[in-house]
Amino acid sequence: ALLSTIAQVLRMEGSPLNDPRGTAVSRSPATTQFTGLAAKILGNPGALSALAGHHTCARARLQLLRAMVQRERGDVSEEEATARMTEAARVLVVMGRCRVAGGVGEKKKPADSGEAEEAEEDPEPTPMWEPVLDRMLTDEGADEMRDEVAAVLDQHALLAGSFKKFGFEGSCGV
């Protein structure tokens, strides 16, 4: 339910990811509403931790691949498949950026063993949403994220195209 909620927020009117590349980010009431809803969801530490977690990102990736395979087989309409693919790609991009902004997935630097004093322990990395949303609301940042969504769709289209060729359709749950 949390994954579909953030996907709905990212597709709502006012989201800079809905506009084509090169479109300036508007300062409209719809953008303000989008920003408020995104901040409300992502501002909850438990929700952000769950959304940026490995399993939720894997689920979003699975939804993207499933929509691609179903479109290829003709199980769903082109419009429905494209909408589901775009939603999943947006979630992957935004949550991936939240993970990176907070240092999730980075390897900790080893402490120098030659020093007599003990090194402070690094706090556990936690996802951060503020820098991601701030960047999304700039013209350059929105274009970066739009390009990243397009790249995610292209990369996963290659993978989804290979499922049938190599007989792995069942691994996508279709």
Side-chain angles (χ1 to χ4, degrees), residues 12-82:
M12 70 183 282
E13 184 181 345
S15 170
L17 299 179
N18 289 334
D19 301 322
R21 188 183 201 306
T23 305
V25 176
S26 67
R27 305 291 180 234
S28 67
T31 304
T32 304
Q33 183 180 14
F34 160 75
T35 306
L37 285 173
K40 187 172 186 169
I41 293 170
L42 298 175
N44 179 322
L48 178 61
S49 181
L51 283 168
H54 172 74
H55 295 294
T56 304
C57 290
R59 181 175 289 278
R61 187 175 315 277
L62 180 64
Q63 287 177 349
L64 172 59
L65 292 170
R66 184 178 293 143
M68 287 179 167
V69 170
Q70 288 175 340
R71 180 187 68 180
E72 199 62 36
R73 289 178 26 190
D75 294 346
V76 295
S77 69
E78 184 72 27
E79 298 82 27
E80 182 183 347
T82 302

Side-chain angles (χ1 to χ4, degrees), residues 4-168:
S4 63
T5 302
I6 195 65
Q8 285 179 318
V9 170
L10 291 174
R11 80 166 176 244
M12 70 183 282
E13 184 181 345
S15 170
L17 299 179
N18 289 334
D19 301 322
R21 188 183 201 306
T23 305
V25 176
S26 67
R27 305 291 180 234
S28 67
T31 304
T32 304
Q33 183 180 14
F34 160 75
T35 306
L37 285 173
K40 187 172 186 169
I41 293 170
L42 298 175
N44 179 322
L48 178 61
S49 181
L51 283 168
H54 172 74
H55 295 294
T56 304
C57 290
R59 181 175 289 278
R61 187 175 315 277
L62 180 64
Q63 287 177 349
L64 172 59
L65 292 170
R66 184 178 293 143
M68 287 179 167
V69 170
Q70 288 175 340
R71 180 187 68 180
E72 199 62 36
R73 289 178 26 190
D75 294 346
V76 295
S77 69
E78 184 72 27
E79 298 82 27
E80 182 183 347
T82 302
R84 289 179 19 205
M85 290 167 20
T86 304
E87 283 177 18
R90 288 176 184 160
V91 169
L92 277 172
V93 167
V94 172
M95 292 302 105
R97 283 180 171 240
C98 287
R99 287 172 61 94
V100 170
V104 176
E106 291 182 0
K107 295 188 177 175
K108 294 184 181 180
K109 297 176 186 168
D112 291 339
S113 57
E115 294 183 17
E117 59 189 66
E118 290 184 25
E120 291 182 29
E121 287 188 31
D122 290 334
E124 189 66 30
T126 56
M128 295 174 59
W129 63 272
E130 295 94 342
V132 175
L133 199 54
D134 289 345
R135 185 75 180 145
M136 185 191 306
L137 294 172
T138 65
D139 295 341
E140 301 83 29
D143 281 344
E144 277 178 18
M145 293 179 94
R146 292 171 189 142
D147 289 345
E148 198 172 335
V149 168
V152 165
L153 288 169
D154 289 343
Q155 292 164 354
H156 286 80
L158 291 172
L159 181 60
S162 69
F163 287 151
K164 188 171 187 178
K165 181 177 180 182
F166 296 109
F168 295 124

